[in-house]
Amino acid sequence: MKCLSPSILAADYGRLAEEIKLVDEAGAQYIHIDVMDGAFVPNITIGAPVVADLRKYTDKILDVHLMVEEPDRFVEDFVQAGADIITVHAEACKHLDRTIVHIKEQGVLAGVALNPATPISVITHVLEMVDMVLVMSVNPGFGGQRFIPYTLDKIVDLRRVLGERGLKLDIQIDGGVTLDNIDEVLDAGANIIVAGSSVFSGDAAANVEKFLEHMK
Ligand code: DX5
Ligand code: ZN
């Protein structure tokens, strides 16, 4: 199934609940929440208490993207806050297998993210354990960056590997996705589409509807 996950990184943080309501009512299936620690990425955003408050305003899938070092430390906090999916970066985990097991034990979905330059071979042995792979199409840390084209090849390769192994995982793409490249991204094999600035700049509800048109 193809789903849109608007990234609230590009929303107005002073009106987060309203912004989430807009994209929720326009039909977005997920809400993407970027958690940054100022160490794994050069930026700081929000923590679990904010997610807990946002949980009251939407029943959509809360898709929490942890861009933090050693994310194991925060898994319980985000589960208690109401996260439905917790995605960790392979590059940020000393013991990726253990972290994935930890997330699954909490009863939520587990995602593993790869920076643009990280090869998919890094996660070969954990593919059976996760529900989603997030392929970063920009270097994480900021919204509004330009899409890195070679990441399309990674998606094609990953979809092929998953097919060969009979795995039906979701492939999420995150960074620089716009109405101009969405078709290429879908053709490559991504099915969970994160979009930040291209949703929240201008009329967010209308933008969601336009994205969803491409995803039928
Ligand atoms: C980047 C974040 C993305 C970001 C995407 O580090 O993980 O989720 O919000 O924003 P756009 O769509 O503007 O590139
Ligand atoms: Zn993200």
Side-chain angles (χ1 to χ4, degrees):
M1 188 180 161
K2 294 174 190 164
C3 297
L4 182 66
S5 192
S7 167
I8 61 166
L9 184 62
D12 178 346
Y13 270 25
R15 300 172 38 252
L16 270 185
E18 285 165 58
E19 296 266 69
I20 285 178
K21 225 164 159 235
L22 272 180
V23 294
D24 173 331
E25 285 169 5
Q29 299 93 340
Y30 288 33
I31 305 292
H32 186 83
I33 301 176
D34 287 308
V35 176
M36 304 185 184
D37 67 350
F40 180 67
V41 290
N43 201 359
I44 297 175
T45 54
I46 60 175
V50 177
V51 175
D53 281 347
L54 295 178
R55 179 76 282 180
K56 300 173 201 156
Y57 296 93
T58 182
D59 293 326
K60 299 297 173 81
I61 293 172
L62 289 187
D63 164 28
V64 174
H65 177 192
L66 295 183
M67 285 162 276
V68 305
E69 291 289 355
E70 289 304 320
D72 247 305
R73 299 174 289 154
F74 303 106
V75 168
E76 273 91 350
D77 290 351
F78 283 99
V79 170
Q80 275 160 26
D84 297 294
I85 305 177
I86 295 185
T87 298
V88 295
H89 271 261
E91 305 88 350
C93 298
K94 280 204 184 91
H95 304 289
L96 179 60
D97 178 286
R98 178 182 287 151
T99 303
I100 294 167
V101 169
H102 186 186
I103 296 170
K104 297 295 293 185
E105 279 174 356
Q106 304 295 311
V108 297
L109 300 174
V112 62
L114 298 175
N115 285 336
T118 304
I120 59 171
S121 56
V122 166
I123 54 168
T124 303
H125 301 289
V126 295
L127 287 175
E128 268 87 359
M129 301 167 63
V130 295
D131 302 285
M132 183 175 86
V133 177
L134 192 180
V135 175
M136 288 302 303
S137 40
V138 298
N139 290 294
F142 304 95
Q145 303 181 79
R146 194 185 292 265
F147 186 89
I148 299 174
Y150 69 73
T151 58
L152 285 175
D153 299 334
K154 284 174 74 176
I155 292 175
V156 171
D157 289 350
L158 178 60
R159 196 47 91 191
R160 194 195 60 245
V161 169
L162 293 177
E164 285 165 4
R165 289 169 55 178
L167 296 171
K168 292 203 177 77
L169 303 188
D170 289 320
I171 300 182
Q172 183 171 70
I173 182 126
D174 183 8
V177 179
T178 66
L179 287 165
D180 292 327
N181 61 20
I182 175 81
D183 292 332
E184 275 179 281
V185 161
L186 292 168
D187 286 348
N191 68 305
I192 310 288
I193 308 301
V194 178
S197 34
S198 50
V199 164
F200 287 102
S201 311
D203 183 339
N207 290 334
V208 166
E209 283 163 22
K210 285 183 201 153
F211 270 102
L212 292 176
E213 264 310 299
H214 288 257
M215 296 170 64
K216 281 183 175 158

